[in-house]
Amino acid sequence: MTIDVHTDPDPTPDPAPQHRRPEKKPRQERAAALTLKETGRWIWTQLTSMRTALVLLFLLALAAIPGAVVPQRGIQPAKVLEFRDANPDLYKVYDNLGLFNVYTSAWFSAIYLLLFISLIGCILPRIRVYLRALRAEPPATPARLDRLPESATSSTSRGADEVLDAAAALLRKRRFRVVRRDGSVAAERGYLREFGNLLFHLSMLVLLVGIAWSTLFGYKGTSIVVTGKGFSNNITQYDDFTGGGLFRAGNLSPFALTLDAFTVRFETGPVQTGAARQFTADVTVTDSPGATPHREVLEVNHPLTVGGTNVHLIAHGYAPIVTVTDGNGNVAFNGPVVFLPQDGNFTSTGAIKVPDARPESLGFQGFFLPTATVDAKGPHSLFPDALVPELFLNAWAGAPKKETGTPQSVYSLDTNGMTQIKSADGKPVAVRLKEGEYLDLPDGRGRLTFVGWQRWAKLQVSSTPGLPLTVGSIAAAIIGLMLSLFIRPRRLWARAVEGEDGRTLVEVGGLDRADARTGLDDEVAAVLAVMDDPVEDDSATTTSEGMK
């Protein structure tokens, strides 16, 4: 048996016949000769090239950076105003460039749409080529197999049809597509590699669609709900709200919920004292008007889903319950007031506004401390749970104001037109009240009573209609990337020619289309082995004779 193995890492194809190329016209003449149709075709070719798609993808990532660094009006309107007050000149430049609305700006949308078009133009022609390749048979056997990257030859006493049948059976077993042609076998596999590439790029396209869908039609808002109170999914119920460019109020799911109870537990041991251990909200949900209410449990990282809308629990705090009696002896205010926590021990600040008090309107601002203490740092809380709740307030009074409709923060007191109430000795009134205590204001202005406290929960209500599409496209992109990385498109050919001496000349060659030749020599050797003469097992023969 004679075997010759050839390895040519850089095969040189047969020289093609030389033809004289026509002389090219100067570039200016060619450009001037382009018609409008040809110019449009050239622009489309440039736009839909893979190089352009990569450049646009890079530009999109670059354009998104200001959205992560500069505060956005739709997400952080208060920080935008703070930036304006701190940097008035720079604010004008940023505003003219649209940096406070990056994701809805014209330049960001232009990059986004061009990338979308470029991806479509890149993918569609490749899909057509891929479908033709799926229907096509493996290419014909080359005339010179020894010029392929891996090749081997041998001679055998078996017939040509027999060895070709053996080669075809092995290749089919190894999941090659096999075709027999005139004394040779052509085989190819690895079609899923291009499928993986196409799947990856299609997934990127669908990902852009999902993001655009969520951006245009989605919304997100937050609302603080005090225990025992309710929330209905209406824009007027939100403390802050952001909707997409095509969002309409009618898109809101008509559900309502009531915060029945809010359970909080903190670590009291010596390790991680005050660390959160449990936040659980018991709510009653009505999916739509007239529907039967049902009870649900809302926890951190375990959102509630109602009609395609997600309700997340994102924060909590305390709302002291106060009663304010005005100078005329009427109850001008009674109920809980939300105070916002400022540190991990829930030292909370807030304001109590009593515009309906008469003869003067009243206002109070200060601290609610769940575990109160006063030291050199001033009043603050020592523990996040309400073990020693106290209320520290300053009092203000002023002439009643007309309602102007101008929005104001409910968490701070606008003291314009008001005077701080002072005691008989001329010092500002500083209120420190424990639960159940009250204070009579000087000059018969009224009484403030600290009735008790309740907890509040901050709910984030959001709808991202394109999220399933986005998540699915990411999963599909990962699958496509794995297919394109780990599948090797490969072609193998085998030829058998019977000689005059009665022996059959066998040739095998292989080509790895992914330039990753690992294992290609083993494939060629395996095909050659099944086509060659079987190797006698001397050890088995000896054993049989010994047994005789």
Side-chain angles (χ1 to χ4, degrees), residues 60-142:
L60 188 69
L62 196 65
I65 294 176
V69 177
V70 180
Q72 300 297 291
R73 280 198 179 93
I75 303 173
Q76 301 170 310
K79 289 190 176 182
V80 174
L81 296 178
E82 292 176 4
F83 187 93
R84 182 194 62 185
D85 296 337
N87 309 279
D89 295 332
L90 189 59
Y91 171 83
K92 294 179 180 179
V93 177
Y94 281 16
D95 195 30
N96 291 332
L97 294 176
L99 296 184
F100 296 114
N101 300 283
V102 168
Y103 305 112
T104 57
S105 62
W107 50 271
F108 188 88
S109 300
I111 298 174
Y112 193 94
L113 291 174
L114 285 174
L115 176 61
F116 193 84
I117 296 171
S118 180
L119 285 175
I120 293 176
C122 289
I123 293 171
L124 290 181
R126 291 181 62 181
I127 291 177
R128 289 196 297 268
V129 172
Y130 179 67
L131 292 177
R132 285 198 299 266
L134 286 179
R135 293 192 296 267
E137 294 182 344
T141 305

Side-chain angles (χ1 to χ4, degrees), residues 181-199:
R181 297 190 187 96
D182 299 332
S184 67
V185 171
E188 185 173 11
R189 75 175 182 190
Y191 292 90
L192 286 179
R193 180 186 179 90
E194 180 62 13
F195 174 79
N197 285 328
L198 293 174
L199 179 61

Side-chain angles (χ1 to χ4, degrees), residues 19-36:
H19 300 281
R20 186 177 180 181
R21 296 181 179 178
E23 295 183 0
K24 291 186 177 181
K25 297 179 180 181
R27 181 175 298 179
Q28 293 81 358
E29 293 183 15
R30 295 200 310 270
L34 289 178
T35 63
L36 182 62

Side-chain angles (χ1 to χ4, degrees), residues 150-168:
E150 294 289 342
S151 63
T153 61
S154 179
S155 63
T156 177
S157 59
R158 302 161 67 187
D161 290 338
E162 181 183 354
V163 295
L164 290 176
D165 289 342

